[in-house]
Amino acid sequence: MRQILDLIAFPKTEAQETASKLFILVGINLTFLLVAGLVLWLMGHGTLAWSFARGYGLLWGVLLVLSPILNLIQRAFRVNLYDNGNVFVASNLLVSGVLVLGWSAFAVLAVQSAGASGWVVVLLYVVGLLASYIAEQVVMSIFSGTIYQLANLALVVLSFIAFAIWPAAARSLFDWFLNLF
């Protein structure tokens, strides 16, 4: 057990570092779901926690499918950081940005479908924003780079606020995808 903990805390190779990040992020994701689920259940909105859990499952699934496909497309067109750096960064920003936008739309629509009022709605939006931040960190586990982290952090906060103000935009952009599941 000590060797596993040492490997997580002090990875030696890039693959071990990636595995360590993923392991830690899964733990953070599960911890958030447990704490948020307990708080939401105590408030009488346990179905929202279940929606977030399903959403995270879908996000992880999309990431695990989309990441190798993007990698194959980038290899097929010989797009890499050294030869075509701008195209490589732009394609990763586009894919990660769409994933973060999609999660923000999902979180806002899930919070709004909870049908709360008063101070409870404010708390639900705070939980939704935290869920969006965790989702952004999940996406950043695959797209690990400072530019992706900064751009997507700003995008997740601004898009969550924008979708909370204009939920019709969230519905028109992403509801078709969310209705598939």
Side-chain angles (χ1 to χ4, degrees):
M1 184 67 168
R2 174 125 175 98
Q3 291 175 339
I4 293 173
L5 292 176
D6 281 345
L7 190 59
I8 291 169
F10 308 108
K12 293 172 181 59
T13 66
E14 188 175 335
Q16 290 173 340
E17 185 176 341
T18 301
S20 175
K21 278 187 204 175
L22 285 173
F23 183 74
I24 291 168
L25 219 62
V26 167
I28 290 170
N29 201 181
L30 291 174
T31 302
F32 172 77
L33 280 173
L34 288 172
V35 171
L38 180 62
V39 169
L40 291 170
W41 177 71
L42 290 172
M43 292 175 46
H45 293 282
T47 57
L48 182 58
W50 178 244
S51 293
F52 284 151
R54 286 192 339 242
Y56 281 126
L58 178 62
L59 180 64
W60 279 103
V62 166
L63 271 173
L64 293 176
V65 169
L66 194 61
S67 178
I69 292 172
L70 178 63
N71 194 356
L72 287 174
I73 291 171
Q74 287 173 335
R75 283 186 186 178
F77 289 104
R78 294 189 178 118
V79 174
N80 60 47
L81 190 58
Y82 305 106
D83 298 330
N84 301 321
N86 290 340
V87 176
F88 179 79
V89 170
S91 64
N92 285 343
L93 276 172
L94 177 69
V95 171
S96 64
V98 168
L99 290 170
V100 166
L101 275 174
W103 180 270
S104 290
F106 163 75
V108 166
L109 294 175
V111 166
Q112 288 188 346
S113 69
S117 62
W119 68 271
V120 174
V121 112
V122 173
L123 186 59
L124 293 181
Y125 274 109
V126 168
V127 171
L129 184 60
L130 286 172
S132 296
Y133 173 73
I134 299 288
E136 184 261 344
Q137 292 299 307
V138 168
V139 172
M140 292 307 97
S141 69
I142 301 297
F143 299 96
S144 58
T146 304
I147 191 161
Y148 310 126
Q149 291 173 352
L150 292 174
N152 286 313
L153 180 60
L155 185 63
V156 77
V157 171
L158 294 175
S159 65
F160 187 86
I161 293 168
F163 289 149
I165 295 170
W166 298 291
R171 278 189 198 88
S172 65
L173 290 173
F174 293 101
D175 204 31
W176 64 270
F177 180 75
L178 298 173
N179 286 334
L180 295 175
F181 301 95

